[in-house]
Amino acid sequence: MGSGLLREGWDAAIPLLELFDIRKDFGEGDVLRGVSLTVEPGEFLTLLGPSGCGKTTLLRVIAGLETPEAGRVLLEGRDITALPPEKRGVNTVFQNYALFPHMNVQRNIAYGLRLRGEKRAAIREQVERMLRLVRLEGYGRRMPSQLSGGQRQRVAIARAVALKPALLLLDEPLGALDLQLRRAMQLELKRIQKDLGVAFVYVTHDQEEAINMSDRIAVMRAGRVEQLGTPEEIYERPATRFAARFIGQTNLIPAEVVEASGHGELTLRAAGVTVPACGGAAVGDKVSVCVRMERVRCGAARPDGFALRARLAETRYAGGFLRSTLEVEGGLTLEAIGQDALGSRVGEECFVWWDPALAPVVPAEDAA
Amino acid sequence: MRGRGRSAWRPVILTAVLVFLYLPLALVALYSFSESKVAGVMKGFTWDWYAKLTRDGAMGQALRTSLRVAGLSCLVSVPLATLGAIGLAARQSRKARFAKLAGGVRGLVEGVTVLPVMLPEVVLGMSLMAAFSMAGARFGIWTLVTAHTTFCVPYVYLIVKSRLAGLDPQLTEAARDLGAGPARAFWDVTLPLILPAIFSGTLLAVAMSFDDVIISMFVNGAQSTTLPLKIYSSLRAGVTPEINALCTIILGVVCLAVALSQLLRNDKKRGGKPDETDNV
Amino acid sequence: MKPRRDRTALLAAPMAAWMALFTALPLLYILVISFLQRDETWGVTDILTLDNYRRLLDPIYIKVFTGSIGLAARATLLSLAVGYPFAYAMARAKPKRRAALTLLVVIPFWTSSLMRVYGWMILLQANGPLNTLLLKLGIVELPAKLLYTQGAALLGMVYTLLPFMILPCHTAIERLDPRVTDAARDLGASPAKAFLTVTLPLTMPGIMSGCMLVFVPTMGLYYVYDLLGGGKGAILGRVIHDQMLSARNPPFGAALSVALIALTGAVVALQRRLGGRDIGFF
């Protein structure tokens, strides 16, 4: 079924969507300060960031609902910057679904097809196919007000993909759902995306959602893309303090590079102790060492190689795992999470260490 | 409904005020069936006053004038006000330079439009009368229609505006996104959703026009007496059971109209912004 | 950059033109003629004068003004005293009941105001039901004069305008989160104290709106005043009416109207000052 909906015949060399230096200063939305991006066919790209970072505005620029003051939007190589939304061939799943309250589910899904002037039989067939796709067979005659939040969500998706867009834009589509439903819908959305082979640009502020679903994530802050990469890249090699903090739970240790091997191995001076890390930095650079909480190791016996003396100050149960606070020599405080109590009891002296290859450095200051 | 004990005064005040509001109306209806010539004395039961009313040529003439004035002023005021509300609700130009100017013009237009709601009727009536005399207009049905249109516009405008403001802007955006041009999106989405407001605005305009005494008093002509003016002059002469019958009929019609408008208003809940409470 | 937006705004042009022509312009016109001398027949000359305004200071008209303001103030306070508790009880009723009550308050507002006044004329007349009742109960020996009194006029005003007090108060009380009163009680306030320190200040915008919606029309609703008060004394609306239609003195009528507009403006300004924004009546 899914393959029938696939868009065929594009040149693989041309990205599906290209954004060049999109800027926006006025208007009710947030500002954009020069955003450039590409989206490949069939890709799931997430715009991730806190509220006010410009991610929704960027999505609206792609949809044609906002006009940028500068920059260009190219879809399949064609400049669509000045095109109104109805002429773009890009469809959107809106944040609050925006189902037409005066039309039933069928008529909502058929709306775009009817505007396109398709034959009645073809419309009916496509509507049925869409209802099957989102698993809402038999709900066609319901009014939106008679549906639950999750069902409305599915109708909104069906309505948007009924037109077989090459690119689907989703604006925090799961934001209004409760946690259980949100997790289920994440899988559901991923399945639909795979079935249809359509590219998604997905806006969210939920890092878990972004990591679970995306092929690539664009971490946004204050109208700029802070880092663009696969979930793994962003997790393992954050580019900035902001990216490091926004995804995962992280210790950021301010430090200065004292030795750089040239192979990415670094030795740094932090609060009276010497610590190892990895990444590209020169001697004398002020950086932050990014140590993921689950990668902080601790034990009563000193291991071979790098370790710091510490005292286990506090341990808290955090649902399935423990979160510990460690007071490290030199006045450093580290947070650690793990399955067990790190082999020490509260108040006891212990040793703390981490794998330097999993502790990247990021610049000490984020650009304003 | 909530944990707190119910206060005894609440049912008392509710009942007392409702009796206060409805007792006079009920009396009018009751005495319209009394055989006594003296209004206010209940004796027997008769339809005579209704029969007599239908034979009263002057009353019939006044009723026809009122209906014509109400109909015509709705015909003008509802489209004017609806388009006005849509126009003023349109998004402003985003260029900072123009935004200020556009905002100023918008504020001015809105201010003048809702002015009749704030002004005492007598002021609007006398100023229209003075202006019509200056312009040399002949007082009659057209001055009535013009005046009624003028005081109906703000009410229709306010009702349609509040509905438009309550609409989720994402709905039209969704229509645009699915391939509708601006006009098509308006026709398919905005219009059906504001239609109930337009209807209730129309009903209100009819009711206001039909009830108006003061403004009509200033702008009517010798040949164009509206029903309220006719009733007013009879009432100044004293009370007659015929008026009771007439008022009872009006009351019946109004109850029907209110029921109808209420049905339409319940429709209003649809298509609102999420988490937006209806404050109408 | 999108020209369609600018064109949409143009849809408001006919309405703007109409209201400019039939509201703004007439008001400007009466402002102008209020400074002109009266013509002997009906109309105005082009001689500038301040006589019309000087005449407003005549004790007769001063009395009209103070009388009208006094009546309006009494009608407003009375409406508030009746309307606020009613609105409160209404807002705290169950939703279904509340919808029905709202409807019941609105229906009289839709019926002819003359008809409602007429109901009171029947009720209060010398041989009317109220007098019959009073006689039967032995409270009065002879039929009391109820109709054509100042009291009856005041009652008529309150009766006609009560929905305008109830509805904004109701909106304000309904919007008030009942938990804030609960919080006040929880913190040790007595019910009366909680009402005075929390409920009342928070519903002030509704009260102010209601007061304005009752106060302003009262000065103009002269037909209610005439029919129930018997035309004794005079309120501002009646005087303006007479200057235009009987005395045929438009410039003086205009000056009276300008004074009434100024008074209305002052009341609106006061309301904005005390109560903040408009509360949704529509």
Side-chain angles (χ1 to χ4, degrees):
Chain A
M1 173 189 86
S3 62
L5 296 173
L6 262 173
R7 303 259 307 200
E8 278 156 37
W10 54 49
D11 189 341
I14 301 178
L16 176 63
L17 177 78
E18 293 164 277
L19 302 178
F20 292 110
D21 198 30
I22 302 291
R23 285 170 187 279
K24 188 158 179 61
D25 287 323
F26 302 122
E28 304 101 73
D30 310 316
V31 295
L32 293 173
R33 307 177 193 202
V35 174
S36 297
L37 269 184
T38 59
V39 179
E40 300 300 329
E43 186 184 25
F44 194 126
L45 178 87
T46 296
L47 304 177
L48 176 68
S51 61
C53 71
K55 55 191 193 300
T56 294
T57 307
L58 185 62
L59 198 78
R60 290 171 61 84
V61 166
I62 302 171
L65 298 167
E66 302 275 353
T67 314
E69 268 99 40
R72 291 197 305 149
V73 182
L74 266 60
L75 187 71
E76 291 167 354
R78 197 164 50 102
D79 191 331
I80 59 165
T81 318
L83 281 188
E86 65 269 22
K87 295 190 176 132
R88 294 204 165 194
V90 167
N91 293 120
T92 308
V93 176
F94 287 86
Q95 189 165 15
N96 301 307
Y97 320 138
L99 298 181
F100 304 129
H102 56 304
M103 301 181 191
N104 65 19
V105 169
Q106 274 177 356
R107 298 227 312 147
N108 262 287
I109 298 175
Y111 184 76
L113 300 165
R114 298 214 327 219
L115 285 175
R116 216 185 248 176
E118 293 195 18
K119 293 220 168 62
R120 287 176 67 110
I123 292 175
R124 196 173 313 136
E125 196 182 319
Q126 175 71 349
V127 168
E128 281 308 313
R129 202 181 307 156
M130 288 301 115
L131 285 173
R132 270 202 305 281
L133 177 76
V134 298
R135 301 188 172 146
L136 280 178
E137 294 100 327
Y139 281 84
R141 300 199 170 275
R142 298 268 185 106
M143 297 305 280
S145 58
Q146 298 169 303
L147 300 177
S148 70
Q151 290 168 337
R152 284 181 209 183
Q153 173 61 72
R154 286 156 192 264
V155 176
I157 294 165
R159 182 176 71 176
V161 295
L163 291 169
K164 303 180 193 170
L167 178 62
L168 189 70
L169 309 173
L170 300 100
D171 186 7
E172 308 230 13
L174 308 183
L177 305 179
D178 62 45
L179 189 63
Q180 291 270 321
L181 200 53
R182 199 152 68 219
R183 293 233 165 98
M185 280 305 291
Q186 284 176 14
L187 298 175
E188 194 73 8
L189 272 174
K190 195 69 192 161
R191 176 185 64 79
I192 290 169
Q193 196 241 344
K194 285 250 169 63
D195 278 3
L196 298 176
V198 58
F200 275 24
V201 174
Y202 188 98
V203 163
T204 186
H205 62 266
D206 181 336
Q207 50 137 327
E208 183 201 301
E209 228 169 82
I211 291 179
N212 285 351
M213 303 168 78
S214 319
D215 295 322
R216 283 194 303 157
I217 297 172
V219 180
M220 290 188 68
R221 186 173 75 100
R224 284 199 187 87
V225 173
E226 194 105 343
Q227 188 176 9
L228 179 64
T230 64
E232 194 185 341
E233 278 167 9
I234 290 177
Y235 194 82
E236 301 298 343
R237 292 278 178 274
T240 62
R241 283 172 64 94
F242 176 79
R245 257 200 312 239
F246 203 75
I247 295 184
Q249 291 177 295
T250 304
N251 294 291
L252 284 169
I253 308 163
E256 189 184 329
V257 179
V258 292
E259 217 181 300
S261 72
H263 307 293
E265 290 160 19
L266 302 172
T267 306
L268 307 101
R269 188 99 195 126
V273 290
T274 304
V275 295
C278 67
V283 172
D285 281 358
K286 297 248 191 288
V287 296
S288 289
V289 180
C290 164
V291 186
R292 297 289 178 192
M293 289 185 193
E294 74 278 10
R295 286 173 179 165
V296 175
R297 297 268 166 271
C298 177
R302 177 184 269 276
D304 300 334
F306 156 70
L308 300 170
R309 282 185 178 283
R311 192 179 71 90
L312 184 57
E314 195 189 347
T315 297
R316 297 182 301 282
Y317 181 67
F321 54 85
L322 292 170
R323 183 164 171 159
S324 310
T325 305
L326 295 150
E327 283 169 4
V328 182
E329 56 179 316
L332 216 61
T333 303
L334 289 180
E335 294 280 320
I337 50 180
Q339 293 292 330
D340 48 37
L342 305 168
S344 303
R345 262 179 293 181
V346 173
E348 278 184 359
E349 296 285 319
C350 60
F351 290 96
V352 171
W353 67 96
W354 58 79
D355 180 354
L358 297 178
V361 294
V362 294
E365 298 281 332
D366 281 348
Chain B
M1 35 160 193
R2 293 172 52 254
R4 200 187 289 159
R6 295 178 62 149
S7 317
W9 62 270
R10 285 190 206 153
V12 174
I13 181 95
L14 288 176
T15 317
V17 171
L18 288 178
V19 168
F20 173 64
L21 283 177
Y22 282 91
L23 186 64
L25 295 177
L27 283 176
V28 172
L30 184 69
Y31 289 128
S32 73
F33 298 105
S34 165
E35 279 169 16
S36 168
K37 265 209 155 98
V38 185
V41 177
M42 194 63 203
K43 201 173 85 190
F45 179 90
T46 179
W47 288 98
D48 281 0
W49 306 115
Y50 290 89
K52 204 170 166 209
L53 188 65
T54 54
R55 289 192 302 270
D56 188 331
M59 275 296 175
Q61 182 62 42
L63 175 67
R64 274 192 295 280
T65 307
S66 263
L67 286 176
R68 201 175 302 154
V69 170
L72 287 170
S73 47
C74 269
L75 221 56
V76 185
S77 65
V78 172
L80 272 184
T82 305
L83 291 177
I86 292 163
L88 291 189
R91 276 221 271 176
Q92 299 193 9
S93 155
R94 246 89 53 79
K95 290 272 188 303
R97 255 178 315 149
F98 298 125
K100 227 176 188 167
L101 182 68
V105 171
R106 182 180 311 235
L108 190 67
V109 171
E110 169 141 48
V112 172
T113 302
V114 299
L115 208 51
V117 178
M118 317 279 272
L119 284 176
E121 285 172 274
V122 64
V123 171
L124 189 65
M126 74 80 66
S127 65
L128 278 170
M129 179 190 185
F132 287 149
S133 322
M134 171 193 69
R138 260 189 52 214
F139 285 84
I141 184 141
W142 290 109
T143 48
L144 276 169
V145 170
T146 307
H148 283 215
T149 301
T150 306
F151 71 74
C152 286
V153 162
Y155 291 95
V156 181
Y157 168 79
L158 287 172
I159 289 176
V160 175
K161 176 194 146 169
S162 103
R163 177 64 180 141
L164 275 172
L167 273 189
D168 183 353
Q170 284 194 350
L171 289 174
T172 23
E173 289 181 355
R176 298 291 306 277
D177 188 73
L178 293 166
R184 187 67 200 258
F186 176 78
W187 185 258
D188 284 348
V189 177
T190 313
L191 191 61
L193 292 175
I194 64 169
L195 216 49
I198 298 176
F199 275 132
S200 48
T202 309
L203 281 173
L204 183 62
V206 170
M208 305 240 332
S209 164
F210 213 76
D211 179 33
D212 177 70
V213 182
I214 294 179
I215 292 170
S216 303
M217 218 177 261
F218 284 99
V219 297
N220 74 329
Q223 301 303 312
S224 58
T225 300
T226 63
L227 197 59
L229 292 181
K230 183 83 186 130
I231 297 174
Y232 181 61
S233 55
S234 328
L235 287 185
R236 291 197 82 174
V239 290
T240 69
E242 209 182 324
I243 299 287
N244 286 31
L246 180 64
C247 289
T248 309
I249 293 171
I250 296 176
L251 182 64
V253 172
V254 164
C255 284
L256 267 175
V258 169
L260 184 68
S261 85
Q262 216 53 36
L263 281 176
L264 292 169
R265 274 206 166 191
N266 287 343
D267 251 25
K268 276 193 53 169
K269 307 282 174 204
R270 305 187 318 183
K273 281 177 191 158
D275 306 320
E276 182 101 338
T277 44
D278 214 11
N279 57 26
V280 176
Chain C
M1 84 112 228
K2 287 179 182 169
R4 66 198 149 91
R5 297 209 168 109
D6 302 337
R7 265 189 277 140
T8 312
L10 285 182
L11 292 177
M15 179 181 81
W18 182 284
M19 297 312 283
L21 200 57
F22 296 113
T23 300
L25 222 55
L27 289 175
L28 284 177
Y29 179 62
I30 62 162
L31 181 65
V32 171
I33 63 170
S34 71
F35 290 103
L36 298 178
Q37 218 168 65
R38 171 195 181 187
D39 188 62
E40 279 314 311
T41 52
W42 198 104
V44 292
T45 57
D46 51 7
I47 304 159
L48 277 172
T49 175
L50 281 173
D51 282 353
N52 300 312
Y53 287 98
R54 226 167 272 142
R55 207 174 145 196
L56 290 179
L57 300 176
D58 186 312
I60 299 172
Y61 296 108
I62 294 283
K63 216 177 137 202
V64 168
F65 268 95
T66 52
S68 302
I69 293 171
L71 179 73
R74 274 178 288 155
T76 307
L77 289 177
L78 212 53
S79 305
L80 184 63
V82 177
Y84 191 88
F86 182 85
Y88 190 89
M90 194 162 119
R92 293 284 175 262
K94 293 192 177 92
K96 262 215 175 117
R97 190 128 180 245
R98 190 166 61 212
L101 284 168
T102 312
L103 198 59
L104 284 172
V105 172
V106 172
I107 287 177
F109 163 70
W110 284 68
T111 60
S112 162
S113 49
L114 276 173
M115 167 175 175
R116 289 179 282 151
V117 170
Y118 176 45
W120 280 108
M121 290 173 71
I122 294 178
L123 195 62
L124 297 178
Q125 66 189 329
N127 53 354
L130 197 58
N131 259 321
T132 315
L133 187 72
L134 290 177
L135 285 171
K136 278 219 176 107
L137 290 175
I139 296 171
V140 293
E141 300 279 316
L142 291 165
K145 185 172 171 56
L146 301 170
L147 190 59
Y148 305 134
T149 59
Q150 288 286 314
L154 180 62
L155 181 79
M157 294 292 187
V158 171
Y159 182 71
T160 309
L161 298 168
L162 190 59
F164 290 95
M165 178 61 84
I166 291 175
L167 292 178
C169 285
H170 173 249
T171 309
I173 298 166
E174 199 187 11
R175 275 187 199 167
L176 179 74
D177 185 346
R179 281 172 299 189
V180 298
T181 358
D182 289 350
R185 297 292 308 281
D186 184 66
L187 295 169
S190 65
K193 189 91 180 167
F195 177 80
L196 286 175
T197 53
V198 176
T199 311
L200 202 60
L202 285 175
T203 52
M204 205 40 115
I207 295 174
M208 283 338 259
S209 265
C211 287
M212 191 193 74
L213 287 170
V214 173
F215 190 90
V216 171
T218 306
M219 292 181 287
L221 271 182
Y222 55 85
Y223 66 96
V224 176
Y225 188 79
D226 280 359
L227 290 175
L228 290 170
K232 269 170 265 124
I235 59 170
L236 209 40
R238 171 93 251 164
V239 179
I240 293 173
H241 174 268
D242 289 347
Q243 288 301 323
M244 294 300 284
L245 295 166
S246 325
R248 312 233 152 205
N249 187 351
F252 185 53
L256 285 163
S257 288
V258 171
L260 182 51
I261 293 169
L263 196 57
T264 306
V267 172
V268 173
L270 189 71
Q271 180 245 345
R272 292 277 143 95
R273 190 84 181 265
L274 294 176
R277 305 153 295 113
D278 261 332
I279 196 120
F281 188 67
F282 288 95

